[in-house]
PDB file of all heavy atoms in Angstrom:
ATOM      1  N   LYS S 350     -14.654 -10.962 -26.648  1.00 87.00           N
ATOM      2  CA  LYS S 350     -13.435 -11.904 -26.795  1.00 87.00           C
ATOM      3  C   LYS S 350     -12.305 -11.145 -26.066  1.00 87.00           C
ATOM      4  O   LYS S 350     -12.183  -9.933 -26.272  1.00 87.00           O
ATOM      5  CB  LYS S 350     -13.174 -12.069 -28.226  1.00 87.00           C
ATOM      6  CG  LYS S 350     -12.243 -13.199 -28.447  1.00 87.00           C
ATOM      7  CD  LYS S 350     -12.950 -14.499 -28.303  1.00 87.00           C
ATOM      8  CE  LYS S 350     -12.012 -15.599 -28.883  1.00 87.00           C
ATOM      9  NZ  LYS S 350     -12.307 -16.889 -28.312  1.00 87.00           N
ATOM     10  N   ILE S 351     -11.607 -11.841 -25.267  1.00 86.00           N
ATOM     11  CA  ILE S 351     -10.351 -11.325 -24.547  1.00 86.00           C
ATOM     12  C   ILE S 351      -9.131 -11.860 -25.364  1.00 86.00           C
ATOM     13  O   ILE S 351      -9.103 -13.071 -25.409  1.00 86.00           O
ATOM     14  CB  ILE S 351     -10.382 -11.636 -23.070  1.00 86.00           C
ATOM     15  CG1 ILE S 351     -11.543 -11.135 -22.351  1.00 86.00           C
ATOM     16  CG2 ILE S 351      -9.025 -11.189 -22.432  1.00 86.00           C
ATOM     17  CD1 ILE S 351     -11.702 -11.557 -20.934  1.00 86.00           C
ATOM     18  N   ASP S 352      -8.204 -11.017 -25.669  1.00 84.00           N
ATOM     19  CA  ASP S 352      -7.070 -11.390 -26.318  1.00 84.00           C
ATOM     20  C   ASP S 352      -5.932 -11.343 -25.269  1.00 84.00           C
ATOM     21  O   ASP S 352      -5.519 -10.339 -24.819  1.00 84.00           O
ATOM     22  CB  ASP S 352      -6.734 -10.429 -27.514  1.00 84.00           C
ATOM     23  CG  ASP S 352      -5.447 -10.845 -28.152  1.00 84.00           C
ATOM     24  OD1 ASP S 352      -4.772 -11.816 -27.753  1.00 84.00           O
ATOM     25  OD2 ASP S 352      -5.070 -10.193 -29.184  1.00 84.00           O
ATOM     26  N   PRO S 353      -5.345 -12.572 -24.840  1.00 79.00           N
ATOM     27  CA  PRO S 353      -4.397 -12.523 -23.803  1.00 79.00           C
ATOM     28  C   PRO S 353      -3.140 -11.959 -24.149  1.00 79.00           C
ATOM     29  O   PRO S 353      -2.254 -11.661 -23.321  1.00 79.00           O
ATOM     30  CB  PRO S 353      -4.291 -14.081 -23.476  1.00 79.00           C
ATOM     31  CG  PRO S 353      -4.771 -14.767 -24.729  1.00 79.00           C
ATOM     32  CD  PRO S 353      -5.784 -13.849 -25.401  1.00 79.00           C
ATOM     33  N   ALA S 354      -2.898 -11.720 -25.551  1.00 82.00           N
ATOM     34  CA  ALA S 354      -1.646 -11.121 -26.029  1.00 82.00           C
ATOM     35  C   ALA S 354      -1.665  -9.694 -25.743  1.00 82.00           C
ATOM     36  O   ALA S 354      -0.540  -9.068 -25.695  1.00 82.00           O
ATOM     37  CB  ALA S 354      -1.468 -11.448 -27.476  1.00 82.00           C
ATOM     38  N   GLN S 355      -2.808  -9.043 -25.662  1.00 84.00           N
ATOM     39  CA  GLN S 355      -2.764  -7.592 -25.477  1.00 84.00           C
ATOM     40  C   GLN S 355      -2.621  -7.233 -23.869  1.00 84.00           C
ATOM     41  O   GLN S 355      -2.866  -8.075 -23.060  1.00 84.00           O
ATOM     42  CB  GLN S 355      -4.101  -6.976 -26.121  1.00 84.00           C
ATOM     43  CG  GLN S 355      -5.264  -7.002 -25.313  1.00 84.00           C
ATOM     44  CD  GLN S 355      -6.576  -6.394 -25.928  1.00 84.00           C
ATOM     45  OE1 GLN S 355      -7.308  -7.167 -26.510  1.00 84.00           O
ATOM     46  NE2 GLN S 355      -6.601  -5.119 -26.001  1.00 84.00           N
ATOM     47  N   SER S 356      -2.338  -6.035 -23.675  1.00 87.00           N
ATOM     48  CA  SER S 356      -2.214  -5.605 -22.236  1.00 87.00           C
ATOM     49  C   SER S 356      -3.191  -4.473 -22.102  1.00 87.00           C
ATOM     50  O   SER S 356      -3.617  -3.774 -23.052  1.00 87.00           O
ATOM     51  CB  SER S 356      -0.859  -5.333 -21.862  1.00 87.00           C
ATOM     52  OG  SER S 356      -0.389  -4.272 -22.681  1.00 87.00           O
ATOM     53  N   GLY S 357      -3.405  -3.971 -20.840  1.00 91.00           N
ATOM     54  CA  GLY S 357      -4.220  -2.858 -20.569  1.00 91.00           C
ATOM     55  C   GLY S 357      -5.563  -3.269 -19.900  1.00 91.00           C
ATOM     56  O   GLY S 357      -5.687  -4.442 -19.576  1.00 91.00           O
ATOM     57  N   THR S 358      -6.449  -2.369 -19.802  1.00 94.00           N
ATOM     58  CA  THR S 358      -7.795  -2.555 -19.214  1.00 94.00           C
ATOM     59  C   THR S 358      -8.826  -2.539 -20.192  1.00 94.00           C
ATOM     60  O   THR S 358      -8.911  -1.641 -21.018  1.00 94.00           O
ATOM     61  CB  THR S 358      -7.939  -1.556 -18.016  1.00 94.00           C
ATOM     62  OG1 THR S 358      -6.801  -1.622 -17.051  1.00 94.00           O
ATOM     63  CG2 THR S 358      -9.306  -1.738 -17.278  1.00 94.00           C
ATOM     64  N   VAL S 359      -9.774  -3.503 -20.072  1.00 94.00           N
ATOM     65  CA  VAL S 359     -10.979  -3.505 -20.963  1.00 94.00           C
ATOM     66  C   VAL S 359     -12.177  -3.683 -20.084  1.00 94.00           C
ATOM     67  O   VAL S 359     -12.166  -4.315 -19.038  1.00 94.00           O
ATOM     68  CB  VAL S 359     -10.833  -4.624 -22.025  1.00 94.00           C
ATOM     69  CG1 VAL S 359      -9.773  -4.406 -22.967  1.00 94.00           C
ATOM     70  CG2 VAL S 359     -10.678  -6.043 -21.262  1.00 94.00           C
ATOM     71  N   THR S 360     -13.321  -3.154 -20.628  1.00 94.00           N
ATOM     72  CA  THR S 360     -14.601  -3.300 -19.927  1.00 94.00           C
ATOM     73  C   THR S 360     -15.166  -4.601 -20.387  1.00 94.00           C
ATOM     74  O   THR S 360     -15.241  -4.889 -21.581  1.00 94.00           O
ATOM     75  CB  THR S 360     -15.412  -2.088 -20.191  1.00 94.00           C
ATOM     76  OG1 THR S 360     -14.947  -0.934 -19.711  1.00 94.00           O
ATOM     77  CG2 THR S 360     -16.812  -2.265 -19.508  1.00 94.00           C
ATOM     78  N   LEU S 361     -15.859  -5.368 -19.443  1.00 94.00           N
ATOM     79  CA  LEU S 361     -16.417  -6.693 -19.787  1.00 94.00           C
ATOM     80  C   LEU S 361     -17.824  -6.813 -19.317  1.00 94.00           C
ATOM     81  O   LEU S 361     -18.137  -6.116 -18.378  1.00 94.00           O
ATOM     82  CB  LEU S 361     -15.608  -7.814 -19.174  1.00 94.00           C
ATOM     83  CG  LEU S 361     -14.146  -7.991 -19.673  1.00 94.00           C
ATOM     84  CD1 LEU S 361     -13.619  -9.245 -19.012  1.00 94.00           C
ATOM     85  CD2 LEU S 361     -14.130  -8.331 -21.168  1.00 94.00           C
ATOM     86  N   LYS S 362     -18.595  -7.709 -19.872  1.00 97.00           N
ATOM     87  CA  LYS S 362     -19.868  -8.059 -19.454  1.00 97.00           C
ATOM     88  C   LYS S 362     -20.011  -9.571 -19.517  1.00 97.00           C
ATOM     89  O   LYS S 362     -19.551 -10.136 -20.416  1.00 97.00           O
ATOM     90  CB  LYS S 362     -20.929  -7.419 -20.300  1.00 97.00           C
ATOM     91  CG  LYS S 362     -22.450  -7.622 -19.734  1.00 97.00           C
ATOM     92  CD  LYS S 362     -23.426  -6.906 -20.569  1.00 97.00           C
ATOM     93  CE  LYS S 362     -24.740  -7.091 -19.896  1.00 97.00           C
ATOM     94  NZ  LYS S 362     -25.818  -6.401 -20.712  1.00 97.00           N
ATOM     95  N   ALA S 363     -20.469 -10.153 -18.493  1.00 97.00           N
ATOM     96  CA  ALA S 363     -20.698 -11.608 -18.409  1.00 97.00           C
ATOM     97  C   ALA S 363     -22.227 -11.781 -18.156  1.00 97.00           C
ATOM     98  O   ALA S 363     -22.876 -11.125 -17.331  1.00 97.00           O
ATOM     99  CB  ALA S 363     -19.903 -12.260 -17.273  1.00 97.00           C
ATOM    100  N   SER S 364     -22.828 -12.746 -18.894  1.00 97.00           N
ATOM    101  CA  SER S 364     -24.197 -13.156 -18.624  1.00 97.00           C
ATOM    102  C   SER S 364     -24.209 -14.616 -18.364  1.00 97.00           C
ATOM    103  O   SER S 364     -23.607 -15.379 -18.894  1.00 97.00           O
ATOM    104  CB  SER S 364     -25.073 -12.766 -19.916  1.00 97.00           C
ATOM    105  OG  SER S 364     -25.086 -11.458 -20.178  1.00 97.00           O
ATOM    106  N   GLY S 365     -25.168 -14.908 -17.471  1.00 98.00           N
ATOM    107  CA  GLY S 365     -25.278 -16.344 -17.058  1.00 98.00           C
ATOM    108  C   GLY S 365     -26.328 -16.559 -16.016  1.00 98.00           C
ATOM    109  O   GLY S 365     -27.287 -15.769 -15.791  1.00 98.00           O
ATOM    110  N   THR S 366     -26.040 -17.430 -15.010  1.00 98.00           N
ATOM    111  CA  THR S 366     -26.884 -17.836 -13.966  1.00 98.00           C
ATOM    112  C   THR S 366     -26.134 -17.743 -12.662  1.00 98.00           C
ATOM    113  O   THR S 366     -25.059 -18.278 -12.526  1.00 98.00           O
ATOM    114  CB  THR S 366     -27.350 -19.332 -14.078  1.00 98.00           C
ATOM    115  OG1 THR S 366     -28.120 -19.461 -15.357  1.00 98.00           O
ATOM    116  CG2 THR S 366     -28.275 -19.677 -13.036  1.00 98.00           C
ATOM    117  N   MET S 367     -26.815 -16.960 -11.664  1.00 98.00           N
ATOM    118  CA  MET S 367     -26.302 -16.788 -10.408  1.00 98.00           C
ATOM    119  C   MET S 367     -27.089 -17.690  -9.431  1.00 98.00           C
ATOM    120  O   MET S 367     -28.305 -17.657  -9.481  1.00 98.00           O
ATOM    121  CB  MET S 367     -26.154 -15.358  -9.903  1.00 98.00           C
ATOM    122  CG  MET S 367     -25.449 -15.201  -8.553  1.00 98.00           C
ATOM    123  SD  MET S 367     -25.179 -13.480  -8.182  1.00 98.00           S
ATOM    124  CE  MET S 367     -24.620 -12.868  -9.699  1.00 98.00           C
ATOM    125  N   THR S 368     -26.421 -18.524  -8.563  1.00 98.00           N
ATOM    126  CA  THR S 368     -27.186 -19.268  -7.555  1.00 98.00           C
ATOM    127  C   THR S 368     -26.733 -18.895  -6.228  1.00 98.00           C
ATOM    128  O   THR S 368     -25.570 -18.841  -5.894  1.00 98.00           O
ATOM    129  CB  THR S 368     -26.830 -20.758  -7.744  1.00 98.00           C
ATOM    130  OG1 THR S 368     -27.264 -21.133  -9.096  1.00 98.00           O
ATOM    131  CG2 THR S 368     -27.625 -21.557  -6.823  1.00 98.00           C
ATOM    132  N   ILE S 369     -27.677 -18.392  -5.391  1.00 98.00           N
ATOM    133  CA  ILE S 369     -27.518 -17.956  -4.063  1.00 98.00           C
ATOM    134  C   ILE S 369     -28.688 -18.554  -3.221  1.00 98.00           C
ATOM    135  O   ILE S 369     -29.764 -18.444  -3.581  1.00 98.00           O
ATOM    136  CB  ILE S 369     -27.525 -16.411  -3.867  1.00 98.00           C
ATOM    137  CG1 ILE S 369     -26.376 -15.741  -4.827  1.00 98.00           C
ATOM    138  CG2 ILE S 369     -27.272 -16.073  -2.395  1.00 98.00           C
ATOM    139  CD1 ILE S 369     -26.495 -14.386  -4.812  1.00 98.00           C
ATOM    140  N   HIS S 370     -28.275 -19.081  -2.085  1.00 98.00           N
ATOM    141  CA  HIS S 370     -29.407 -19.639  -1.147  1.00 98.00           C
ATOM    142  C   HIS S 370     -30.266 -20.647  -1.832  1.00 98.00           C
ATOM    143  O   HIS S 370     -31.489 -20.791  -1.590  1.00 98.00           O
ATOM    144  CB  HIS S 370     -30.229 -18.465  -0.636  1.00 98.00           C
ATOM    145  CG  HIS S 370     -31.043 -18.728   0.581  1.00 98.00           C
ATOM    146  ND1 HIS S 370     -32.389 -18.765   0.548  1.00 98.00           N
ATOM    147  CD2 HIS S 370     -30.652 -19.110   1.828  1.00 98.00           C
ATOM    148  CE1 HIS S 370     -32.795 -19.018   1.756  1.00 98.00           C
ATOM    149  NE2 HIS S 370     -31.832 -19.281   2.583  1.00 98.00           N
TER     150      HIS S 370
END
Side-chain angles (χ1 to χ4, degrees):
K350 194 76 169 159
I351 299 174
D352 180 0
Q355 81 182 103
S356 61
T358 302
V359 294
T360 301
L361 295 177
K362 184 176 183 179
S364 295
T366 302
M367 187 168 316
T368 302
I369 302 171
H370 197 245

